[in-house]
Amino acid sequence: MMVESASETIRSTPSSQNGVGSLANQPDGGGGGGGGGREGAASGEPNGEMSPVELLHFQQQQALQVARQFLLQQATGLSSPGGNDAKQPAVQVPVSVAMMSPQMITPQQMQQILSPPQLQALLQQQQAIMLQQLQEYYKKQQEQLHLQLLTQQQAGKQQPKEQPLGNKQLAFQQQLLQMQQLQQQHLLNLQRQGLVSLQPGQGTVPLQTLPQAVCPSDLQQLWKEVTATQPVEDSIKQEGLDLTTNTSNSTSFSAAKVSPPISHHSLPNGQSAMHTPRRDSSSHEDNPGSHPLYGHGECKWPGCETLCEDLGQFVKHLNTEHALDDRSTAQCRVQMQVVQQLEIQLAKESERLQAMMAHLHMRPSEPKPFSQPLNLVSSATLSKSTSDTFPDGLPHPPTSATAPITPLRQGPSVISSSTLHNVGPIRRRNSEKFCTPISSELAQNHEFYKNADVRPPFTYASLIRQAILETPDRQLTLNEIYNWFTRMFAYFRRNTATWKNAVRHNLSLHKCFVRVENVKGAVWTVDEHEYQKRRPPKMTGSPTLVKNMISGLGYGALNASYQAALAESNFPLLNSPTMINTSSASGMLHVGHDDVSSTVEQVNSNGSNSPRLSPQQYSHPVHVKEEPAEAEDDSRPVSLMATTNQNVTIPDDRDLEEELPVEDLS
DNA sequence: CTTTCGCTAAACACGT
DNA sequence: CACGTGTTTAGCGAAA
């Protein structure tokens, strides 16, 4: 009797049991009380033990919150300060999209709705937006205060009598001061995230402590040096020029730039029309009459700052002063380096942010208890696993790092319906479906899963298999499997009891996992044959088969061998469905297409998924969502195209099966 | 509506 | 006895 409710009950209880979950979110629950007193904390409050990292996280979080509030206000039309909202409308769209939705959706949901890269993009976008808004807000506030102050002063002059006035003034000044302090602080925090674009002109902040990265002043310095240094031997010539074009936009540095491209579609709730890229700080580029290197009446060529009355003059200046010569190319190179550095920095910081978000948001503030139940993670495990992780992680810079160089990171752009479904409590089967491209998915996002506490969209079986296949000898002990899970997925660093049980359960339940006695115990191996067999349980031969295979089992059949091979080599490409989908990537496809094709269908229909994909395409699939009937139909044709080869193979699954088994232990 | 699938929970057996 | 490993059963929810 109890049993029945057990699962339900358990689900909810655990969270309380471990309590950790909720507490973790409000780290420093006590600190929370402290509220705004980060300064206090910094100066060594009671909990002076708070590690710098924690502090920083906390600060960041707060800064973000402030920004969010402000944005909400704006979105609500309460724009407080200045009445000149000329630009507001443009901003509002993104705001509503980027900010509001997160509010309505739990972070967790977001995680599940969006594919990792999307998430990344979204996060960054949000950050950028918030930062800009924040900056503007501060500016306005300051102006307003100044104004008020002035008014007061004047009033005071006219009626120089009571002290209340003096008091008022004082109050204002204090307010102003506070404002500035606050601003400084937030901006500082933001800088730490490497996202603020400080421009000499507009930065109100001293910014003495820019993290490790380049700070504007340094930059200027650098520029001067370069400029002074004159010609560099090996001028890059034309190529350099081209590069310039690419980088040019980065003049204003990351924040603003990074996000726009990533953009907004793919937002679950409303693909709210178009959003004008936020302008604010970088007004160029929206205005046809402007130039990325021209702003605020001066030339923005690094280290230049020459005043130009108008665009025409500027252009002239540009052509004369910054023509294609050694110096310019050298500067260009420097700029490239700068940008690169910033990108790296950005990647790092955003990764950190993700981790933070993942960590802080894990608890479902939702009525519906999610499967997320506990944060069992013993700190011990955590630290351990993380350390484990690092070695791996280090070599390759954060996923995002690689991407930024190109216009944007890989943009998955679309939300897979499957993912959408994930939203809820469980990701179950869809994972199954999508597990198909597991290796590729993993390959693409492993960095993400490693650090973000997101449940991977794969079944235990497929994960186990992946783990095993990844090893040279295709065999693992139970413990090694555990380790693989924790190493590869942040998600599995918690609730160990649960998922370990599930792993064991899967191992013994599925025939595809074979236990082999070994000298020093037992190891588990994968019987590919069984594995593939398993998927299409009922549909043998039937026409549906194909479809099922494609959708559900995808993986197994066709790619088995590919998979294996790929897996062996560390699941490098084998790129996902997406690619196909895109077809843009046609080049690479040949290898994986089998696999892909099988998967493609779904992908197409769902529209989503994936990860990497070519950015270009990205704009299209926007609306995806899930349109059952049509989507399917659509997808079909498409997949066919992609699949042609495949179809040839598919006709007889028998064949497939026979083929597959090839390399494993029979 | 039924079946299948995957997940979680839990009981139990065994060996160390 | 505690713990890890395996096996098995049961119930639930989602998808087919």
Side-chain angles (χ1 to χ4, degrees):
Chain A
M1 332 155 56
M2 296 301 295
V3 187
E4 292 164 26
S5 56
S7 62
E8 281 303 319
T9 333
I10 288 171
R11 226 163 249 181
S12 44
T13 17
S15 52
S16 54
Q17 261 181 1
N18 309 306
V20 189
S22 38
L23 289 182
N25 288 335
Q26 311 287 336
D28 175 80
R38 45 187 160 291
E39 224 153 0
S43 57
E45 252 197 5
N47 44 6
E49 286 304 13
M50 194 186 217
S51 77
V53 181
E54 288 173 332
L55 218 174
L56 189 111
H57 289 187
F58 186 56
Q59 288 179 339
Q60 286 180 331
Q61 204 55 33
Q62 281 202 329
L64 292 183
Q65 275 203 349
V66 171
R68 171 174 295 183
Q69 281 180 2
F70 165 64
L71 290 178
L72 279 178
Q73 271 189 359
Q74 284 215 330
T76 327
L78 293 178
S79 55
S80 40
N84 49 352
D85 299 278
K87 293 182 179 178
Q88 240 43 304
V91 180
Q92 263 175 336
V93 180
V95 168
S96 58
V97 173
M99 295 306 306
M100 299 295 272
S101 50
Q103 281 246 328
M104 327 239 54
I105 302 177
T106 65
Q108 201 192 357
Q109 283 176 316
M110 282 182 57
Q111 279 185 349
Q112 289 175 331
I113 290 172
L114 302 177
S115 71
Q118 280 182 320
L119 235 174
Q120 279 187 338
L122 185 61
L123 287 179
Q124 288 176 356
Q125 186 189 342
Q126 282 188 15
Q127 272 192 332
I129 294 173
M130 289 189 292
L131 295 184
Q132 287 178 355
Q133 299 285 327
L134 197 62
Q135 279 182 319
E136 270 220 358
Y137 172 67
Y138 278 134
K139 242 162 110 184
K140 282 185 184 170
Q141 285 282 326
Q142 248 185 317
E143 283 171 19
Q144 206 186 21
L145 284 175
H146 268 302
L147 232 141
Q148 285 182 332
L149 194 65
L150 282 179
T151 328
Q152 287 297 332
Q153 281 179 339
Q154 283 193 341
K157 275 177 189 171
Q158 288 175 347
Q159 307 174 345
K161 45 176 182 181
E162 330 110 19
Q163 19 184 200
L165 234 187
N167 286 342
K168 266 191 181 175
Q169 275 193 19
L170 240 164
F172 272 128
Q173 276 176 331
Q174 278 184 340
Q175 230 184 319
L176 218 166
L177 244 158
Q178 282 182 353
M179 215 35 240
Q180 284 177 332
Q181 282 181 346
L182 235 179
Q183 176 179 8
Q184 280 190 14
Q185 214 153 52
H186 285 168
L187 287 178
L188 240 159
N189 289 337
L190 300 176
Q191 281 172 44
R192 290 187 162 200
Q193 297 178 32
L195 287 170
V196 167
S197 59
L198 302 153
Q199 287 179 328
Q202 93 188 80
T204 344
V205 191
L207 65 101
Q208 55 269 5
T209 45
L210 208 147
Q212 58 261 64
V214 230
C215 83
S217 51
D218 285 343
L219 271 182
Q220 289 298 333
Q221 187 58 25
L222 187 56
W223 278 117
K224 302 246 160 93
E225 281 175 19
V226 173
T227 320
T229 320
Q230 276 284 26
V232 179
E233 284 297 330
D234 52 318
S235 49
I236 329 178
K237 299 191 176 179
Q238 315 261 0
E239 294 143 56
L241 249 203
D242 288 352
L243 292 174
T244 327
T245 353
N246 288 336
T247 8
S248 67
N249 39 3
S250 50
T251 356
S252 58
F253 295 152
S254 41
K257 267 28 193 1
V258 178
S259 36
I262 294 167
S263 76
H264 340 297
H265 29 272
S266 74
L267 278 181
N269 48 4
Q271 349 155 268
S272 75
M274 62 271 152
H275 345 255
T276 327
R278 79 233 91 250
R279 22 145 64 4
D280 309 8
S281 61
S282 50
S283 50
H284 30 283
E285 144 173 305
D286 346 295
N287 189 343
S290 69
H291 188 289
L293 287 175
Y294 179 62
H296 296 85
E298 63 183 33
C299 173
K300 297 253 174 144
W301 186 276
C304 180
E305 296 182 16
T306 302
L307 295 174
C308 301
E309 304 257 343
D310 56 55
L311 199 68
Q313 198 180 348
F314 162 74
V315 173
K316 219 195 248 168
H317 158 81
L318 196 60
N319 288 330
T320 56
E321 295 298 311
H322 308 299
L324 172 57
D325 59 9
D326 291 343
R327 197 183 65 165
S328 295
T329 46
Q331 288 177 323
C332 215
R333 291 208 311 206
V334 173
Q335 180 67 18
M336 279 168 54
Q337 288 186 343
V338 169
V339 171
Q340 264 186 357
Q341 268 211 338
L342 287 171
E343 279 170 344
I344 291 173
Q345 175 81 8
L346 172 66
K348 274 188 198 161
E349 297 298 338
S350 55
E351 197 177 31
R352 187 196 300 186
L353 175 76
Q354 273 177 12
M356 286 163 58
M357 297 269 286
H359 172 69
L360 296 178
H361 292 320
M362 261 0 262
R363 88 62 134 40
S365 56
E366 294 274 300
K368 247 256 173 190
F370 284 179
S371 60
Q372 282 275 319
L374 4 157
N375 298 340
L376 269 184
V377 206
S378 63
S379 57
T381 339
L382 227 174
S383 54
K384 192 204 160 191
S385 44
T386 28
S387 59
D388 275 350
T389 308
F390 267 70
D392 270 351
L394 285 184
H396 15 238
T399 46
S400 40
T402 53
I405 301 215
T406 50
L408 354 180
R409 53 212 83 255
Q410 64 266 58
S413 68
V414 222
I415 317 154
S416 69
S417 65
S418 74
T419 346
L420 269 175
H421 295 163
N422 272 348
V423 174
I426 331 199
R427 35 27 252 204
R428 297 177 195 254
R429 171 166 315 151
N430 34 11
S431 48
E432 226 327 309
K433 291 176 157 189
F434 283 83
C435 72
T436 309
I438 181 174
S439 56
S440 51
E441 247 279 327
L442 253 184
Q444 293 159 6
N445 300 316
H446 82 286
E447 200 62 43
F448 174 82
Y449 290 122
K450 228 180 205 173
N451 300 309
D453 197 348
V454 180
R455 176 159 194 141
F458 312 110
T459 60
Y460 280 113
S462 51
L463 284 175
I464 294 170
R465 173 175 171 274
Q466 184 64 35
I468 294 173
L469 292 184
E470 263 180 44
T471 63
D473 13 348
R474 303 281 176 77
Q475 53 171 46
L476 284 177
T477 65
L478 179 62
N479 205 34
E480 287 168 334
I481 294 176
Y482 289 160
N483 290 335
W484 185 85
F485 271 67
T486 49
R487 196 178 349 116
M488 301 297 284
F489 305 94
Y491 179 85
F492 292 120
R493 284 165 206 159
R494 31 148 89 201
N495 303 339
T496 54
T498 301
W499 64 261
K500 281 182 179 178
N501 182 29
V503 168
R504 289 195 305 272
H505 171 247
N506 273 267
L507 282 173
S508 44
L509 187 67
H510 299 310
K511 288 179 197 160
C512 58
F513 299 119
V514 183
R515 206 178 87 103
V516 179
E517 286 291 346
N518 201 345
V519 188
K520 53 168 188 171
V523 292
W524 289 93
T525 60
V526 178
D527 181 338
E528 279 296 323
H529 193 334
E530 280 298 327
Y531 184 80
Q532 286 137 19
K533 226 160 122 186
R534 186 169 71 85
R535 306 340 228 16
K538 48 181 175 186
M539 45 104 157
T540 6
S542 75
T544 36
L545 197 174
V546 177
K547 209 208 160 174
N548 279 332
M549 279 187 72
I550 291 178
S551 48
L553 134 126
Y555 204 149
L558 311 178
N559 15 278
S561 47
Y562 284 136
Q563 280 279 340
L566 289 172
E568 200 171 336
S569 55
N570 231 346
F571 53 62
L573 28 152
L574 180 80
N575 264 324
S576 63
T578 359
M579 298 242 348
I580 288 188
N581 187 0
T582 0
S583 80
S584 60
S586 54
M588 314 185 53
L589 291 183
H590 57 301
V591 178
H593 53 326
D594 284 338
D595 176 8
V596 179
S597 54
S598 57
T599 337
V600 174
E601 181 147 357
Q602 324 181 350
V603 175
N604 283 337
S605 62
N606 293 332
S608 57
N609 181 17
S610 270
R612 98 157 8 141
L613 264 225
S614 52
Q616 317 109 293
Q617 292 271 343
Y618 215 127
S619 20
H620 297 237
V622 181
H623 43 6
V624 197
K625 291 201 221 134
E626 26 200 329
E627 305 197 320
E630 289 203 22
E632 283 234 351
D633 287 341
D634 275 351
S635 61
R636 284 218 154 196
V638 179
S639 63
L640 285 178
M641 287 183 35
T643 332
T644 8
N645 284 342
Q646 190 115 90
N647 284 336
V648 181
T649 340
I650 296 189
D652 207 341
D653 30 346
R654 291 285 161 224
D655 288 19
L656 287 180
E657 283 201 5
E658 287 173 8
E659 268 201 29
L660 303 174
V662 181
E663 51 354 14
D664 39 288
L665 33 133
S666 42

